[in-house]
């Protein structure tokens, strides 16, 4: 892969397109430290007040329930819990803001040449959701106190943690953003001159992670990955619902048909590989539950909860595709820990396949 000395520079004016000038590393470190302090204090205050609240009710006598002092004490523990929860939530947000100030940026495409990196491609419209903090309490936390044990990572940071063992995770930054989002290392390209550099990045990547979406940029990136990559180096991410995924499949087929008739194929052979038959979006394994499971899980609303990352599409040596669905309905009693084990179990064969990949030249 050849380097591009204008990777972060506008070719016309030499203007830095990255938000590097807005970053303040010292401020970022201070925010991260303050955020963690708030998280710890909030957790201690929240858990202590929660259990004291429960004990207060448990030890109450019929005569004391009607007394004003009893109600005052009960309200005191409730207020303490709310204060602890607020401190915990604010602390998580402050940590994220601090990470934006300390995030690394790619200086030059030339610096990536010959290195091992994972390229993360996605629709920019996914960024707000990917920048949100994990909240698995909705699907796996029947007990209120479990909220203090949810991860402090954003969805993108969680994705990067799962794949960073295969190389530095790099993504193209959203044009015009004030600060980079936590997660993948950002690089910034001119709006009118990005396809050539992205093509080079795809060709040189150890692995390409591509989040499915029907937008023209994402669809072009998918067909370019099909043109340039061996099948075992491409992983599609399904952060979308079934309808959006179906539109993505249709758009890829149309763009592939157009490009394969008008543009040269693989640099090695000049031919386009066969278009993979992207699998359909799997339905939940158990859309309906027995009444006892509904009651134990706190109602049907919790049982309709789903992962932000719904699943992955991976490819065999002849581009045969397989959709690996992270399906929470397979669990009778979801919890933070069983949900984590479910994802880890489903990801294990994918990670084994990627671990076997040879280094790129």
């Amino acid at each position: 892969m050849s380097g591009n000395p204008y990777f972060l520079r506008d070719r016309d004016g030499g203007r830095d397109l990255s938000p590097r000038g807005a970053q303040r590393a010292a401020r970022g470190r201070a925010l991260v430290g303050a955020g963690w302090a708030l998280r710890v204090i909030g957790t201690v205050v929240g858990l202590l007040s929660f259990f004291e609240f429960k004990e207060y009710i448990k030890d109450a006598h019929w005569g004391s329930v009607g007394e004003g002092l009893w109600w005052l004490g009960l309200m005191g523990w409730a207020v303490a819990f709310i204060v602890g929860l607020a401190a915990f939530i604010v602390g998580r947000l402050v940590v994220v803001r601090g990470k934006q100030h300390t995030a690394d940026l790619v200086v030059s495409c030339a610096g990536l040449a010959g290195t091992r990196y994972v390229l993360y491609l996605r629709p920019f419209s996914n960024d707000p959701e990917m920048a949100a903090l994990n909240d698995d309490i909705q699907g796996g936390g029947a007990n209120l106190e479990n909220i203090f044990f949810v991860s402090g990572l954003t969805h993108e940071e969680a994705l990067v943690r799962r794949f960073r063992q295969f190389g530095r995770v790099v993504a193209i930054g959203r044009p015009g953003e004030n600060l980079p989002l936590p997660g993948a290392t950002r690089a910034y390209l001119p709006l009118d001159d990005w396809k050539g550099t992205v093509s080079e990045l795809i060709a040189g990547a150890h692995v390409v992670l591509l989040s499915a979406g029907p937008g023209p940029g994402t669809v072009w990136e998918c067909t370019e990955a099909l043109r340039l990559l061996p099948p075992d180096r491409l992983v599609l991410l399904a952060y979308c619902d079934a309808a959006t995924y179906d539109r993505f499949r249709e758009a890829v087929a149309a763009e592939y048909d157009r490009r394969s008739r008008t543009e040269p194929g693989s640099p090695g052979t000049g031919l386009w590989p066969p278009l993979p038959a992207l699998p359909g979006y799997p339905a939940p394994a158990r859309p309906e539950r027995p009444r006892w499971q509904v009651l134990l899980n706190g109602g049907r609303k919790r049982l309709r909860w789903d992962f932000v990352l719904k699943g992955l599409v991976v490819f065999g040596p002849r581009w045969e595709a397989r959709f690996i669905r992270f399906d929470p309905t397979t669990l009778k009693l979801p919890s933070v820990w069983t949900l984590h084990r479910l994802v880890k179990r489903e990801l294990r064969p994918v990670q084994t396949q990627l671990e076997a990949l040879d280094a790129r030249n």
Side-chain angles (χ1 to χ4, degrees), residues 19-60:
R20 185 185 295 105
Q23 288 182 303
R24 300 290 183 267
R27 179 187 299 176
R29 289 190 291 269
L31 287 173
V32 170
W36 270 105
L38 283 171
R39 286 189 64 182
V40 172
I41 293 171
T43 299
V44 172
V45 172
L47 289 177
L48 176 63
S49 58
F50 178 82
F51 289 115
E52 287 294 337
F53 182 90
K54 290 178 66 175
E55 288 298 316
Y56 204 78
I57 295 176
K58 180 180 177 182
D59 296 339

mmCIF file of all heavy atoms in Angstrom, residues 19-60:
data_model
loop_
_atom_site.group_PDB
_atom_site.id
_atom_site.type_symbol
_atom_site.label_atom_id
_atom_site.label_comp_id
_atom_site.label_asym_id
_atom_site.label_seq_id
_atom_site.Cartn_x
_atom_site.Cartn_y
_atom_site.Cartn_z
ATOM 1 N N PRO A 19 -9.421 17.353 14.199
ATOM 2 C CA PRO A 19 -9.696 18.226 15.346
ATOM 3 C C PRO A 19 -8.537 18.287 16.338
ATOM 4 O O PRO A 19 -8.746 18.576 17.511
ATOM 5 C CB PRO A 19 -10.935 17.566 15.974
ATOM 6 C CG PRO A 19 -10.794 16.125 15.656
ATOM 7 C CD PRO A 19 -10.092 16.046 14.315
ATOM 8 N N ARG A 20 -7.326 18.017 15.862
ATOM 9 C CA ARG A 20 -6.168 17.990 16.756
ATOM 10 C C ARG A 20 -6.018 19.302 17.516
ATOM 11 O O ARG A 20 -5.674 19.331 18.698
ATOM 12 C CB ARG A 20 -4.898 17.693 15.955
ATOM 13 C CG ARG A 20 -3.645 17.535 16.826
ATOM 14 C CD ARG A 20 -2.393 17.364 15.996
ATOM 15 N NE ARG A 20 -2.414 16.132 15.246
ATOM 16 C CZ ARG A 20 -2.644 16.044 13.945
ATOM 17 N NH1 ARG A 20 -2.884 17.142 13.249
ATOM 18 N NH2 ARG A 20 -2.625 14.903 13.330
ATOM 19 N N GLY A 21 -6.288 20.421 16.859
ATOM 20 C CA GLY A 21 -6.113 21.711 17.514
ATOM 21 C C GLY A 21 -7.079 21.951 18.654
ATOM 22 O O GLY A 21 -6.813 22.777 19.536
ATOM 23 N N ALA A 22 -8.211 21.244 18.649
ATOM 24 C CA ALA A 22 -9.197 21.416 19.718
ATOM 25 C C ALA A 22 -8.915 20.516 20.918
ATOM 26 O O ALA A 22 -9.527 20.693 21.981
ATOM 27 C CB ALA A 22 -10.600 21.137 19.183
ATOM 28 N N GLN A 23 -8.023 19.552 20.754
ATOM 29 C CA GLN A 23 -7.723 18.642 21.856
ATOM 30 C C GLN A 23 -6.823 19.312 22.888
ATOM 31 O O GLN A 23 -5.892 20.041 22.542
ATOM 32 C CB GLN A 23 -7.044 17.374 21.333
ATOM 33 C CG GLN A 23 -7.972 16.448 20.561
ATOM 34 C CD GLN A 23 -7.260 15.188 20.102
ATOM 35 O OE1 GLN A 23 -6.249 15.253 19.394
ATOM 36 N NE2 GLN A 23 -7.759 14.041 20.505
ATOM 37 N N ARG A 24 -7.095 19.049 24.157
ATOM 38 C CA ARG A 24 -6.296 19.540 25.276
ATOM 39 C C ARG A 24 -5.968 18.345 26.152
ATOM 40 O O ARG A 24 -6.797 17.895 26.950
ATOM 41 C CB ARG A 24 -7.055 20.602 26.068
ATOM 42 C CG ARG A 24 -7.446 21.839 25.260
ATOM 43 C CD ARG A 24 -6.217 22.671 24.894
ATOM 44 N NE ARG A 24 -6.600 23.881 24.178
ATOM 45 C CZ ARG A 24 -6.670 23.990 22.862
ATOM 46 N NH1 ARG A 24 -6.402 22.912 22.114
ATOM 47 N NH2 ARG A 24 -7.001 25.123 22.272
ATOM 48 N N ALA A 25 -4.745 17.826 25.997
ATOM 49 C CA ALA A 25 -4.387 16.581 26.668
ATOM 50 C C ALA A 25 -4.467 16.714 28.186
ATOM 51 O O ALA A 25 -4.961 15.812 28.874
ATOM 52 C CB ALA A 25 -2.980 16.152 26.243
ATOM 53 N N ALA A 26 -3.979 17.826 28.740
ATOM 54 C CA ALA A 26 -4.001 18.006 30.195
ATOM 55 C C ALA A 26 -5.443 18.048 30.704
ATOM 56 O O ALA A 26 -5.770 17.449 31.731
ATOM 57 C CB ALA A 26 -3.254 19.286 30.573
ATOM 58 N N ARG A 27 -6.304 18.752 29.974
ATOM 59 C CA ARG A 27 -7.709 18.799 30.358
ATOM 60 C C ARG A 27 -8.323 17.410 30.280
ATOM 61 O O ARG A 27 -9.119 17.012 31.148
ATOM 62 C CB ARG A 27 -8.474 19.753 29.451
ATOM 63 C CG ARG A 27 -9.958 19.848 29.770
ATOM 64 C CD ARG A 27 -10.687 20.679 28.723
ATOM 65 N NE ARG A 27 -10.181 22.043 28.662
ATOM 66 C CZ ARG A 27 -10.595 22.950 27.786
ATOM 67 N NH1 ARG A 27 -11.505 22.614 26.873
ATOM 68 N NH2 ARG A 27 -10.097 24.163 27.791
ATOM 69 N N GLY A 28 -7.966 16.659 29.245
ATOM 70 C CA GLY A 28 -8.506 15.318 29.099
ATOM 71 C C GLY A 28 -8.121 14.417 30.251
ATOM 72 O O GLY A 28 -8.959 13.680 30.788
ATOM 73 N N ARG A 29 -6.845 14.457 30.655
ATOM 74 C CA ARG A 29 -6.415 13.617 31.778
ATOM 75 C C ARG A 29 -7.127 14.015 33.065
ATOM 76 O O ARG A 29 -7.502 13.158 33.880
ATOM 77 C CB ARG A 29 -4.901 13.713 31.935
ATOM 78 C CG ARG A 29 -4.123 13.015 30.815
ATOM 79 C CD ARG A 29 -2.649 12.924 31.145
ATOM 80 N NE ARG A 29 -2.018 14.251 31.127
ATOM 81 C CZ ARG A 29 -1.452 14.795 30.060
ATOM 82 N NH1 ARG A 29 -1.456 14.135 28.908
ATOM 83 N NH2 ARG A 29 -0.885 15.979 30.114
ATOM 84 N N ALA A 30 -7.307 15.324 33.261
ATOM 85 C CA ALA A 30 -8.012 15.787 34.457
ATOM 86 C C ALA A 30 -9.467 15.313 34.449
ATOM 87 O O ALA A 30 -10.011 14.890 35.478
ATOM 88 C CB ALA A 30 -7.945 17.315 34.548
ATOM 89 N N LEU A 31 -10.114 15.371 33.281
ATOM 90 C CA LEU A 31 -11.502 14.930 33.181
ATOM 91 C C LEU A 31 -11.626 13.429 33.436
ATOM 92 O O LEU A 31 -12.564 12.977 34.111
ATOM 93 C CB LEU A 31 -12.064 15.277 31.800
ATOM 94 C CG LEU A 31 -12.352 16.755 31.544
ATOM 95 C CD1 LEU A 31 -12.729 16.974 30.078
ATOM 96 C CD2 LEU A 31 -13.472 17.255 32.448
ATOM 97 N N VAL A 32 -10.684 12.646 32.911
ATOM 98 C CA VAL A 32 -10.727 11.198 33.140
ATOM 99 C C VAL A 32 -10.577 10.895 34.624
ATOM 100 O O VAL A 32 -11.309 10.080 35.199
ATOM 101 C CB VAL A 32 -9.632 10.491 32.316
ATOM 102 C CG1 VAL A 32 -9.515 9.028 32.737
ATOM 103 C CG2 VAL A 32 -9.947 10.580 30.828
ATOM 104 N N GLY A 33 -9.619 11.570 35.286
ATOM 105 C CA GLY A 33 -9.426 11.355 36.717
ATOM 106 C C GLY A 33 -10.642 11.768 37.528
ATOM 107 O O GLY A 33 -11.090 11.035 38.428
ATOM 108 N N ALA A 34 -11.219 12.932 37.203
ATOM 109 C CA ALA A 34 -12.401 13.394 37.923
ATOM 110 C C ALA A 34 -13.593 12.478 37.678
ATOM 111 O O ALA A 34 -14.382 12.194 38.592
ATOM 112 C CB ALA A 34 -12.732 14.821 37.491
ATOM 113 N N GLY A 35 -13.725 12.010 36.446
ATOM 114 C CA GLY A 35 -14.827 11.117 36.130
ATOM 115 C C GLY A 35 -14.756 9.814 36.894
ATOM 116 O O GLY A 35 -15.765 9.312 37.410
ATOM 117 N N TRP A 36 -13.559 9.248 36.981
ATOM 118 C CA TRP A 36 -13.401 8.003 37.733
ATOM 119 C C TRP A 36 -13.669 8.214 39.218
ATOM 120 O O TRP A 36 -14.250 7.351 39.886
ATOM 121 C CB TRP A 36 -12.007 7.423 37.518
ATOM 122 C CG TRP A 36 -11.956 6.491 36.349
ATOM 123 C CD1 TRP A 36 -11.431 6.715 35.117
ATOM 124 C CD2 TRP A 36 -12.485 5.160 36.315
ATOM 125 N NE1 TRP A 36 -11.605 5.622 34.308
ATOM 126 C CE2 TRP A 36 -12.238 4.643 35.018
ATOM 127 C CE3 TRP A 36 -13.142 4.361 37.236
ATOM 128 C CZ2 TRP A 36 -12.637 3.370 34.636
ATOM 129 C CZ3 TRP A 36 -13.543 3.075 36.862
ATOM 130 C CH2 TRP A 36 -13.284 2.595 35.573
ATOM 131 N N ALA A 37 -13.252 9.355 39.740
ATOM 132 C CA ALA A 37 -13.537 9.648 41.146
ATOM 133 C C ALA A 37 -15.051 9.708 41.389
ATOM 134 O O ALA A 37 -15.560 9.162 42.374
ATOM 135 C CB ALA A 37 -12.878 10.967 41.545
ATOM 136 N N LEU A 38 -15.778 10.364 40.477
ATOM 137 C CA LEU A 38 -17.230 10.427 40.606
ATOM 138 C C LEU A 38 -17.857 9.036 40.499
ATOM 139 O O LEU A 38 -18.819 8.720 41.221
ATOM 140 C CB LEU A 38 -17.810 11.343 39.528
ATOM 141 C CG LEU A 38 -17.661 12.847 39.759
ATOM 142 C CD1 LEU A 38 -18.095 13.614 38.502
ATOM 143 C CD2 LEU A 38 -18.503 13.283 40.953
ATOM 144 N N ARG A 39 -17.334 8.216 39.603
ATOM 145 C CA ARG A 39 -17.867 6.861 39.468
ATOM 146 C C ARG A 39 -17.692 6.060 40.746
ATOM 147 O O ARG A 39 -18.614 5.377 41.206
ATOM 148 C CB ARG A 39 -17.179 6.134 38.309
ATOM 149 C CG ARG A 39 -17.601 6.590 36.937
ATOM 150 C CD ARG A 39 -17.045 5.666 35.864
ATOM 151 N NE ARG A 39 -17.591 4.315 35.997
ATOM 152 C CZ ARG A 39 -17.249 3.288 35.217
ATOM 153 N NH1 ARG A 39 -16.357 3.470 34.269
ATOM 154 N NH2 ARG A 39 -17.792 2.115 35.383
ATOM 155 N N VAL A 40 -16.506 6.140 41.336
ATOM 156 C CA VAL A 40 -16.238 5.375 42.562
ATOM 157 C C VAL A 40 -17.105 5.886 43.704
ATOM 158 O O VAL A 40 -17.742 5.105 44.432
ATOM 159 C CB VAL A 40 -14.742 5.463 42.918
ATOM 160 C CG1 VAL A 40 -14.487 4.840 44.287
ATOM 161 C CG2 VAL A 40 -13.898 4.759 41.858
ATOM 162 N N ILE A 41 -17.145 7.207 43.881
ATOM 163 C CA ILE A 41 -17.956 7.776 44.959
ATOM 164 C C ILE A 41 -19.431 7.442 44.744
ATOM 165 O O ILE A 41 -20.144 7.051 45.683
ATOM 166 C CB ILE A 41 -17.748 9.302 45.020
ATOM 167 C CG1 ILE A 41 -16.320 9.628 45.466
ATOM 168 C CG2 ILE A 41 -18.752 9.954 45.974
ATOM 169 C CD1 ILE A 41 -15.956 11.086 45.341
ATOM 170 N N GLY A 42 -19.895 7.593 43.515
ATOM 171 C CA GLY A 42 -21.289 7.278 43.222
ATOM 172 C C GLY A 42 -21.621 5.822 43.494
ATOM 173 O O GLY A 42 -22.696 5.505 44.005
ATOM 174 N N THR A 43 -20.701 4.915 43.136
ATOM 175 C CA THR A 43 -20.936 3.485 43.373
ATOM 176 C C THR A 43 -21.029 3.186 44.862
ATOM 177 O O THR A 43 -21.939 2.471 45.309
ATOM 178 C CB THR A 43 -19.804 2.662 42.737
ATOM 179 O OG1 THR A 43 -19.785 2.881 41.327
ATOM 180 C CG2 THR A 43 -19.993 1.175 43.017
ATOM 181 N N VAL A 44 -20.097 3.725 45.652
ATOM 182 C CA VAL A 44 -20.097 3.477 47.095
ATOM 183 C C VAL A 44 -21.369 4.030 47.737
ATOM 184 O O VAL A 44 -22.073 3.332 48.485
ATOM 185 C CB VAL A 44 -18.845 4.088 47.750
ATOM 186 C CG1 VAL A 44 -18.939 3.995 49.270
ATOM 187 C CG2 VAL A 44 -17.584 3.391 47.262
ATOM 188 N N VAL A 45 -21.685 5.284 47.430
ATOM 189 C CA VAL A 45 -22.880 5.908 48.016
ATOM 190 C C VAL A 45 -24.147 5.203 47.528
ATOM 191 O O VAL A 45 -25.065 4.919 48.320
ATOM 192 C CB VAL A 45 -22.927 7.416 47.661
ATOM 193 C CG1 VAL A 45 -24.256 8.032 48.097
ATOM 194 C CG2 VAL A 45 -21.765 8.148 48.311
ATOM 195 N N GLY A 46 -24.213 4.891 46.230
ATOM 196 C CA GLY A 46 -25.401 4.267 45.688
ATOM 197 C C GLY A 46 -25.656 2.886 46.252
ATOM 198 O O GLY A 46 -26.786 2.564 46.641
ATOM 199 N N LEU A 47 -24.624 2.040 46.307
ATOM 200 C CA LEU A 47 -24.809 0.683 46.819
ATOM 201 C C LEU A 47 -25.128 0.692 48.316
ATOM 202 O O LEU A 47 -26.012 -0.043 48.781
ATOM 203 C CB LEU A 47 -23.564 -0.153 46.551
ATOM 204 C CG LEU A 47 -23.313 -0.542 45.089
ATOM 205 C CD1 LEU A 47 -22.001 -1.298 44.955
ATOM 206 C CD2 LEU A 47 -24.458 -1.389 44.543
ATOM 207 N N LEU A 48 -24.402 1.510 49.071
ATOM 208 C CA LEU A 48 -24.653 1.576 50.506
ATOM 209 C C LEU A 48 -26.083 2.020 50.788
ATOM 210 O O LEU A 48 -26.808 1.390 51.581
ATOM 211 C CB LEU A 48 -23.669 2.548 51.163
ATOM 212 C CG LEU A 48 -23.864 2.792 52.664
ATOM 213 C CD1 LEU A 48 -23.639 1.502 53.435
ATOM 214 C CD2 LEU A 48 -22.911 3.877 53.156
ATOM 215 N N SER A 49 -26.537 3.079 50.128
ATOM 216 C CA SER A 49 -27.888 3.582 50.369
ATOM 217 C C SER A 49 -28.942 2.605 49.875
ATOM 218 O O SER A 49 -30.003 2.468 50.481
ATOM 219 C CB SER A 49 -28.064 4.948 49.697
ATOM 220 O OG SER A 49 -27.809 4.861 48.309
ATOM 221 N N PHE A 50 -28.661 1.885 48.779
ATOM 222 C CA PHE A 50 -29.619 0.919 48.259
ATOM 223 C C PHE A 50 -29.870 -0.196 49.262
ATOM 224 O O PHE A 50 -31.027 -0.541 49.559
ATOM 225 C CB PHE A 50 -29.116 0.345 46.933
ATOM 226 C CG PHE A 50 -30.023 -0.696 46.338
ATOM 227 C CD1 PHE A 50 -31.132 -0.330 45.597
ATOM 228 C CD2 PHE A 50 -29.772 -2.050 46.527
ATOM 229 C CE1 PHE A 50 -31.979 -1.284 45.047
ATOM 230 C CE2 PHE A 50 -30.612 -3.002 45.984
ATOM 231 C CZ PHE A 50 -31.717 -2.629 45.241
ATOM 232 N N PHE A 51 -28.781 -0.767 49.791
ATOM 233 C CA PHE A 51 -28.953 -1.880 50.734
ATOM 234 C C PHE A 51 -29.501 -1.394 52.074
ATOM 235 O O PHE A 51 -30.267 -2.112 52.732
ATOM 236 C CB PHE A 51 -27.628 -2.614 50.905
ATOM 237 C CG PHE A 51 -27.228 -3.405 49.689
ATOM 238 C CD1 PHE A 51 -26.093 -3.081 48.958
ATOM 239 C CD2 PHE A 51 -28.004 -4.462 49.244
ATOM 240 C CE1 PHE A 51 -25.741 -3.791 47.835
ATOM 241 C CE2 PHE A 51 -27.654 -5.200 48.115
ATOM 242 C CZ PHE A 51 -26.520 -4.853 47.409
ATOM 243 N N GLU A 52 -29.127 -0.190 52.484
ATOM 244 C CA GLU A 52 -29.695 0.361 53.710
ATOM 245 C C GLU A 52 -31.184 0.624 53.540
ATOM 246 O O GLU A 52 -31.971 0.433 54.458
ATOM 247 C CB GLU A 52 -28.965 1.652 54.091
ATOM 248 C CG GLU A 52 -27.567 1.444 54.632
ATOM 249 C CD GLU A 52 -27.559 0.722 55.970
ATOM 250 O OE1 GLU A 52 -28.590 0.760 56.683
ATOM 251 O OE2 GLU A 52 -26.527 0.114 56.314
ATOM 252 N N PHE A 53 -31.582 1.075 52.362
ATOM 253 C CA PHE A 53 -32.999 1.298 52.073
ATOM 254 C C PHE A 53 -33.770 -0.014 52.204
ATOM 255 O O PHE A 53 -34.850 -0.064 52.803
ATOM 256 C CB PHE A 53 -33.137 1.879 50.668
ATOM 257 C CG PHE A 53 -34.541 2.211 50.259
ATOM 258 C CD1 PHE A 53 -35.079 3.467 50.508
ATOM 259 C CD2 PHE A 53 -35.341 1.274 49.619
ATOM 260 C CE1 PHE A 53 -36.380 3.791 50.127
ATOM 261 C CE2 PHE A 53 -36.639 1.579 49.240
ATOM 262 C CZ PHE A 53 -37.157 2.837 49.492
ATOM 263 N N LYS A 54 -33.227 -1.083 51.626
ATOM 264 C CA LYS A 54 -33.895 -2.380 51.697
ATOM 265 C C LYS A 54 -33.988 -2.886 53.140
ATOM 266 O O LYS A 54 -35.026 -3.392 53.573
ATOM 267 C CB LYS A 54 -33.157 -3.395 50.825
ATOM 268 C CG LYS A 54 -33.291 -3.136 49.334
ATOM 269 C CD LYS A 54 -32.497 -4.137 48.515
ATOM 270 C CE LYS A 54 -33.040 -5.540 48.636
ATOM 271 N NZ LYS A 54 -32.325 -6.488 47.744
ATOM 272 N N GLU A 55 -32.887 -2.730 53.886
ATOM 273 C CA GLU A 55 -32.896 -3.178 55.272
ATOM 274 C C GLU A 55 -33.854 -2.332 56.113
ATOM 275 O O GLU A 55 -34.493 -2.836 57.038
ATOM 276 C CB GLU A 55 -31.477 -3.107 55.853
ATOM 277 C CG GLU A 55 -30.533 -4.166 55.321
ATOM 278 C CD GLU A 55 -31.007 -5.570 55.672
ATOM 279 O OE1 GLU A 55 -31.421 -5.790 56.831
ATOM 280 O OE2 GLU A 55 -30.972 -6.446 54.787
ATOM 281 N N TYR A 56 -33.928 -1.066 55.797
ATOM 282 C CA TYR A 56 -34.801 -0.161 56.531
ATOM 283 C C TYR A 56 -36.254 -0.609 56.410
ATOM 284 O O TYR A 56 -37.009 -0.606 57.394
ATOM 285 C CB TYR A 56 -34.639 1.255 55.980
ATOM 286 C CG TYR A 56 -35.011 2.365 56.939
ATOM 287 C CD1 TYR A 56 -34.144 2.747 57.962
ATOM 288 C CD2 TYR A 56 -36.215 3.032 56.813
ATOM 289 C CE1 TYR A 56 -34.468 3.763 58.832
ATOM 290 C CE2 TYR A 56 -36.561 4.054 57.679
ATOM 291 C CZ TYR A 56 -35.683 4.418 58.693
ATOM 292 O OH TYR A 56 -36.022 5.432 59.552
ATOM 293 N N ILE A 57 -36.631 -1.012 55.196
ATOM 294 C CA ILE A 57 -37.999 -1.491 54.986
ATOM 295 C C ILE A 57 -38.190 -2.854 55.638
ATOM 296 O O ILE A 57 -39.213 -3.131 56.276
ATOM 297 C CB ILE A 57 -38.314 -1.567 53.482
ATOM 298 C CG1 ILE A 57 -38.306 -0.167 52.862
ATOM 299 C CG2 ILE A 57 -39.647 -2.248 53.234
ATOM 300 C CD1 ILE A 57 -38.513 -0.142 51.371
ATOM 301 N N LYS A 58 -37.187 -3.714 55.517
ATOM 302 C CA LYS A 58 -37.282 -5.069 56.050
ATOM 303 C C LYS A 58 -37.451 -5.072 57.565
ATOM 304 O O LYS A 58 -38.203 -5.886 58.124
ATOM 305 C CB LYS A 58 -36.029 -5.845 55.654
ATOM 306 C CG LYS A 58 -36.002 -7.284 56.144
ATOM 307 C CD LYS A 58 -34.715 -7.963 55.698
ATOM 308 C CE LYS A 58 -34.632 -9.381 56.237
ATOM 309 N NZ LYS A 58 -33.353 -10.027 55.830
ATOM 310 N N ASP A 59 -36.738 -4.163 58.250
ATOM 311 C CA ASP A 59 -36.752 -4.135 59.715
ATOM 312 C C ASP A 59 -37.861 -3.264 60.291
ATOM 313 O O ASP A 59 -37.948 -3.096 61.511
ATOM 314 C CB ASP A 59 -35.402 -3.619 60.232
ATOM 315 C CG ASP A 59 -34.256 -4.551 59.863
ATOM 316 O OD1 ASP A 59 -34.530 -5.736 59.584
ATOM 317 O OD2 ASP A 59 -33.098 -4.088 59.841
ATOM 318 N N ALA A 60 -38.692 -2.683 59.416
ATOM 319 C CA ALA A 60 -39.733 -1.772 59.906
ATOM 320 C C ALA A 60 -40.801 -2.543 60.676
ATOM 321 O O ALA A 60 -41.140 -3.691 60.352
ATOM 322 C CB ALA A 60 -40.362 -1.021 58.736
#
